[in-house]
Each structure stands twice: as C-alpha cells, then as structure tokens.
C-alpha cells in the first residue's frame, strides 16, 4: 500500500480560501504537514476548517510556530504533539509538530517544520527538529518522515544536514520539476519531504491542479510523496 504524505505552506489562509480547498482536495493526502497554519483569532476552528476542506483532521500542532500535521480517515493517529524550538531574540518563535500514524501495518512519525530566513537559526533548528522527530519515532517504534518549508535550496547547509539524516524524497523518484516557490511561476524548490531509508519513495513532486488555482491558493505550491514500506509492493494491503 501507499502512504501519501504532503507538505504545504498555506500562508495563514490569507489568499483565496475556495482555491485552497480545491488544492487540499487534489492532494488526496493521508498525512499533510502544514506551515503557516492559522495561529491568531479563532485559530483552532480555522485549522479544523482547513483540515476538513481536504477531508482531514488535525492530528498535531501548537498555536505558536504555525505548524500542524493533519491526518486522513485512512490512518489511525497514535500520538500528536507540538514542541517549541529554541528561541532566537528578534526572530519568530519556531516549532515542530509531530504525529505518529499507522495504516496497513506501516507506522510513521511525521514532523512538520517551517525554518527561519536567518541562516544560523535555520541550521540550529534543522538539527533540533531531526533530533526531536527521531526521539518520538524511537518512542513509538515508527519510521521518521520530516516535511516542510525549508526556506533554502538543496545545496545549502540546513537542507544538506536534514538530507544526510533522512533522504530527500524528490531526487529518489521525481515527478515533475519539483519547484514550489513562488506559486505563480515557481523557480525554487524550498519545500520538501524527507523520509528514512526504511521507506521506499514511489514518487515525489507536485500536485495535479490548475496552475491558476495553485497561484490563487497560496504563495507556495505543495509537494506530495508516495511512500511504501521498503521491499514491499506499493499495492499491498
């Protein structure tokens, strides 16, 4: 069987909410890592509405940091939490949301992150996020997957550090050009999904949706990875 894990910076739902709902539906995600989730007025209700627009439910996340993990009806949520990352004076408080989910005998710990524009903070938080995710994965005997807005490209230190611990899914089974930013005419790949070698990447890339809808929904485009247990058939039940 396949597990569809997606990552999407939704820009706090400040754009076309109807278009965002169309993209959420097109993702067909079993697990969705969200960045810039609503975190101010009525944030809980707005996150629930965001999740429901894609047939999902909120599985993990804090208000601060604006990250969340959403889960679909085909997965069982075993655990969900949010943790603040180290605070750097003058910069936005960052966090990681982690959900442990299970489906068809496959158990994964999925973390959502949104790294800073400041390179020093970004590198520190990349180390911290990988460590926290691995701790949760070990506690639940799960396979770790980390996804998010990395705010840099694959040749930079934070990306290289994460990919050294959890392989970057896109180069392993690319689908499309992989570019995610800006949503209108993307030319950068700054959003990614990283999965432990114990998972097989069947495909990784963008979502099939009207480019005009993608541009209206957010300033980022989502990324989706189809994952399977290593050595298993993607069609196993």
């Amino acid at each position: 069987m396949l597990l569809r894990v997606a990552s999407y910076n939704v820009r706090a739902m400040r754009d076309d909410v109807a278009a965002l709902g169309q993209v959420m539906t097109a993702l067909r995600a079993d697990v969705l890592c969200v960045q810039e989730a609503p975190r101010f007025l009525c944030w809980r209700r707005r996150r629930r509405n965001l999740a429901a627009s894609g047939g999902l439910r909120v599985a993990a996340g804090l208000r601060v940091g604006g990250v969340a993990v959403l889960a679909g009806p085909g997965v069982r949520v075993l655990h969900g939490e949010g943790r603040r990352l180290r605070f750097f004076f003058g910069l936005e408080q960052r966090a990681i949301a982690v959900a442990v989910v299970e489906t068809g005998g496959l158990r994964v710990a999925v973390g959502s992150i949104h790294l800073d524009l400041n390179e020093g903070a970004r590198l520190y938080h990349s180390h911290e996020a990988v460590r926290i995710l691995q701790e949760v994965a070990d506690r639940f005997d799960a396979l770790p997957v980390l996804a998010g807005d990395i705010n840099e490209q694959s040749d930079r230190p934070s990306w290289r550090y994460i990919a050294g611990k959890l392989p970057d899914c896109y180069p392993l089974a690319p689908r499309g050009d992989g570019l995610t930013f800006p949503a209108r005419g993307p030319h950068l790949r700054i959003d990614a999904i990283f999965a432990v070698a114990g998972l097989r990447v069947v495909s990784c890339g963008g979502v099939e949706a009207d480019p005009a809808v993608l541009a209206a929904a957010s300033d980022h485009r989502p990324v989706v990875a189809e994952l399977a247990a290593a050595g298993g058939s993607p069609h196993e039940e």
Side-chain angles (χ1 to χ4, degrees):
M1 68 165 296
L2 292 180
L3 180 72
R4 287 178 64 88
V5 177
S7 183
Y8 197 12
N9 182 321
V10 300
R11 212 165 84 102
M13 300 176 69
R14 294 199 301 266
D15 298 294
D16 186 327
V17 176
L20 180 59
Q22 291 181 55
V23 178
M24 293 282 292
T25 300
L27 287 171
R28 297 184 293 111
D30 297 305
V31 184
L32 172 59
C33 294
V34 175
Q35 302 83 46
E36 293 196 39
R39 58 190 178 97
F40 294 115
L41 185 66
C42 303
W43 65 275
R44 288 187 179 87
R45 175 175 58 79
R46 296 183 68 207
R47 288 190 188 188
R48 287 195 299 268
N49 290 344
L50 173 68
S53 71
L56 307 168
R57 63 198 188 278
V58 178
L62 297 173
R63 183 187 69 79
V64 298
V67 289
V69 180
L70 313 181
V75 300
R76 184 163 66 104
V77 178
L78 305 179
H79 175 75
E81 66 178 80
R83 292 200 212 175
R84 295 173 183 242
L85 302 178
R86 177 184 170 183
F87 176 70
F88 287 87
F89 183 77
L91 300 180
E92 184 178 333
Q93 174 69 65
R94 300 291 175 175
I96 180 171
V98 183
V100 180
V101 303
E102 189 172 61
T103 181
L106 182 63
R107 181 178 295 187
V108 295
V110 183
S112 177
I113 56 171
H114 185 189
L115 298 183
D116 207 274
L117 291 170
N118 178 280
E119 186 170 27
R122 192 163 64 240
L123 183 57
Y124 188 96
H125 289 152
S126 66
H127 285 249
E128 194 176 10
V130 168
R131 175 181 55 79
I132 291 171
L133 176 63
Q134 190 63 61
E135 287 176 358
V136 177
D138 289 346
R139 195 189 330 153
F140 287 89
D141 194 23
L143 298 169
V145 177
L146 188 63
D149 178 354
I150 310 304
N151 260 325
E152 68 178 31
Q153 298 191 80
S154 59
D155 61 340
R156 303 301 299 157
S158 299
W159 191 301
R160 290 202 309 267
Y161 173 77
I162 297 171
K165 300 293 184 179
L166 302 168
D168 182 356
C169 292
Y170 178 74
L172 296 176
R175 186 182 67 253
D177 60 21
L179 303 176
T180 63
F181 186 83
R184 191 182 301 276
H187 59 272
L188 300 172
R189 186 166 77 98
I190 62 172
D191 303 84
I193 299 171
F194 306 86
V196 72
L199 290 165
R200 181 165 58 88
V201 182
V202 177
S203 71
C204 183
V207 64
E208 293 184 8
D210 185 336
V213 172
L214 289 166
S218 175
D219 60 340
H220 287 246
R221 290 191 179 192
V223 57
V224 184
E226 294 181 315
L227 306 175
S233 164
H235 304 295
E236 282 180 351
E237 294 297 336

